[in-house]
């Protein structure tokens, strides 16, 4: 039965603090904190926030700061980042930030780490980073974990991180699966639409996994969009704003705030825009509770994942919260 499979799987939420047309960026950040409270009430395992710089469609530029606000507003749900983009930062500073979070909210903090750099040349210049800095991610990761173990060859100790155990996760993009396996860390991989590519990454991770002080065996988190509504049409409509924003970014070079679904549906698109838009809608996990339960069961069985990280964004916040409520009932059957 789907319920037995899904009830044994952890479900978590990643909110990207997506901005909405006509609404201030600050509202997107407050919405993230409000959603975290709802996710905690609904019984989700973790609530993570993301890092983006110079992106009009995303207000979340400082994930550890936002994670502190989320952790302060909640009391039981695990809180973390999906993720801090390590090539953008000095590992010592990242260790210090997570050390502060873990000290303030002991036993509730996760350290999700990615290897992306700024989205555009301008952002990378502003961050003082070159595109190829991501190639050093494995060494940056080792340095970061060393600060928690107190093994830095500099003789310096990261305060208050030294001696703390903040669970690290690797966001697997490209060779991230190999890096996560070699480091013996849990891995987060998406998206759910590219199932074959995701399965290859998971196989690579499991085959190369080396037990570590952080994890004795592979731990797989699959991530992607999941939309649940009363009808398939309503669920699909939840996907429309994000699908259009992605299409716009692919054709105009900038990722915009989310528009209302009705404005997208009435829009005249170029053939290129329409192609990207339809691609963004295709293959997502969206439908009624029964439909989504069946799809999620298939995903969990195919991947053997221990956890699903849901990353849904839409313009209509009430519909988004309703989707998460319906999802919580699906996985708690």
């Amino acid at each position: 039965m789907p319920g037995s499979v899904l009830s044994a799987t952890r479900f978590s939420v990643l909110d990207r603090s997506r901005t909405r047309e006509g609404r201030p960026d600050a509202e997107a950040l407050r919405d993230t904190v409000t959603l975290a409270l709802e996710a905690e009430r609904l019984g989700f395992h973790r609530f993570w926030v993301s890092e983006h710089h110079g992106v009009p469609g995303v207000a979340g530029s400082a994930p550890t700061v936002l994670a502190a606000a989320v952790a302060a507003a909640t009391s039981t749900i695990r809180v973390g980042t999906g993720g801090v983009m390590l090539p953008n930062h000095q590992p010592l500073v990242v260790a210090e930030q997570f050390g502060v979070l873990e000290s303030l909210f002991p036993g509730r903090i996760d350290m999700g780490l990615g290897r992306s750099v700024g989205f555009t040349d301008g952002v990378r210049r502003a961050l003082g980073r070159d595109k190829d800095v991501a190639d050093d991610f494995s060494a940056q990761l080792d340095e970061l974990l060393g600060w928690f173990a107190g093994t830095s060859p500099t003789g310096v100790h990261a305060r208050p991180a030294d001696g703390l155990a903040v669970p690290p996760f690797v966001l697997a993009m490209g060779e991230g699966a190999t890096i996560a396996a070699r480091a013996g860390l849990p891995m987060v991989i998406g998206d759910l639409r590219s199932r074959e590519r995701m399965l290859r990454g998971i196989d690579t991770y499991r085959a190369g996994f080396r037990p570590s002080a952080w994890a004795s065996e592979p731990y797989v988190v699959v991530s992607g969009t999941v939309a649940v509504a009363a009808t398939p049409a309503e669920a699909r409509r939840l996907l429309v704003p994000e699908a259009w924003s992605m299409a716009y970014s692919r054709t105009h070079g900038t990722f915009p705030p989310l528009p209302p679904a009705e404005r997208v549906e009435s829009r005249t698109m170029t053939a290129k825009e329409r192609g990207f838009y339809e691609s963004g809608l295709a293959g997502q996990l969206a439908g009624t509770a029964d439909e989504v339960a069946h799809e999620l069961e298939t995903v969990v069985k195919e991947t053997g994942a221990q956890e699903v990280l849901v990353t849904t964004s839409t313009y209509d916040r009430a519909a988004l919260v309703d989707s998460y409520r319906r999802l919580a009932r699906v996985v708690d059957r």
Side-chain angles (χ1 to χ4, degrees):
M1 293 177 62
S4 61
V5 174
L6 299 183
S7 62
T9 305
R10 289 170 168 166
F11 280 79
S12 300
V13 176
L14 166 63
D15 191 67
R16 295 160 61 215
S17 303
R18 290 287 275 114
T19 59
R20 295 183 288 165
E21 283 187 359
R23 306 277 188 161
D25 288 359
E27 184 175 84
L29 298 172
R30 291 192 292 268
D31 285 343
T32 291
V33 177
T34 300
L35 183 61
L37 285 163
E38 185 66 16
E40 179 175 75
R41 189 185 71 79
L42 293 171
F44 286 96
H45 184 61
R46 312 179 201 275
F47 189 93
W48 283 5
V49 296
S50 63
E51 175 183 336
H52 297 272
H53 299 284
V55 180
V58 184
S61 57
T64 53
V65 177
L66 185 53
V70 169
T74 56
S75 57
T76 57
I77 196 168
R78 296 195 64 87
V79 176
T81 56
V84 164
M85 296 302 147
L86 197 50
N88 290 338
H89 310 282
Q90 290 295 336
L92 169 61
V93 176
V94 175
E96 290 171 337
Q97 290 173 346
F98 279 100
V100 169
L101 284 170
E102 176 64 19
S103 298
L104 292 173
F105 310 102
R108 290 179 58 209
I109 301 301
D110 299 321
M111 187 167 57
L113 305 163
R115 62 189 296 269
S116 297
V117 290
F119 183 62
T120 65
D121 289 340
V123 169
R124 288 191 289 272
R125 285 196 299 271
L127 289 170
R129 295 293 188 268
D130 295 322
K131 199 169 186 177
D132 59 4
V133 72
D135 296 339
D136 298 327
F137 178 69
S138 184
Q140 295 159 355
L141 183 62
D142 288 343
E143 181 183 343
L144 172 63
L145 299 180
W147 289 115
F148 288 93
T151 57
S152 171
T154 65
V156 175
H157 291 269
R159 309 291 183 191
D162 193 354
L164 296 181
V166 183
F169 295 73
V170 172
L171 277 60
M173 296 290 187
E175 63 182 86
T178 300
I179 294 171
R182 189 183 304 126
L185 301 180
M187 177 185 72
V188 183
I189 188 166
D191 65 45
L192 296 175
R193 293 179 302 165
S194 305
R195 203 71 58 85
E196 289 186 10
R197 181 182 176 190
M198 186 173 67
L199 289 171
R200 287 196 301 271
I202 291 172
D203 288 345
T204 296
Y205 169 67
R206 289 200 174 108
F209 185 85
R210 301 176 184 173
S212 72
W214 299 99
S216 60
E217 57 188 25
Y219 188 92
V220 174
V221 184
V222 295
S223 67
T225 296
V226 181
V228 193
T231 68
E234 289 178 61
R236 185 180 185 276
R237 206 156 190 263
L238 282 167
L239 307 177
V240 165
E242 183 77 8
W244 167 247
S245 292
M246 290 298 295
Y248 188 92
S249 72
R250 297 290 296 274
T251 52
H252 293 77
T254 185
F255 194 61
L258 293 170
E262 58 269 19
R263 200 166 68 72
V264 176
E265 291 169 337
S266 64
R267 185 184 184 93
T268 300
M269 301 183 194
T270 66
K272 190 174 185 180
E273 288 171 340
R274 176 67 63 180
F276 285 128
Y277 171 67
E278 295 293 346
S279 175
L281 292 173
Q284 305 280 19
L285 267 65
T288 65
D290 287 342
E291 290 169 337
V292 168
H294 175 73
E295 286 294 321
L296 283 172
E297 180 191 19
T298 300
V299 168
V300 171
K301 286 182 174 179
E302 285 182 352
T303 62
Q306 288 94 337
E307 189 168 341
V308 178
L309 181 67
V310 182
T311 63
T312 310
S313 299
T314 194
Y315 182 90
D316 187 337
R317 297 295 297 187
L320 178 65
V321 171
D322 180 68
S323 176
Y324 277 116
R325 288 173 180 160
R326 291 173 185 271
L327 176 61
R329 290 196 292 270
V330 164
V331 302
D332 198 31
R333 289 176 174 178

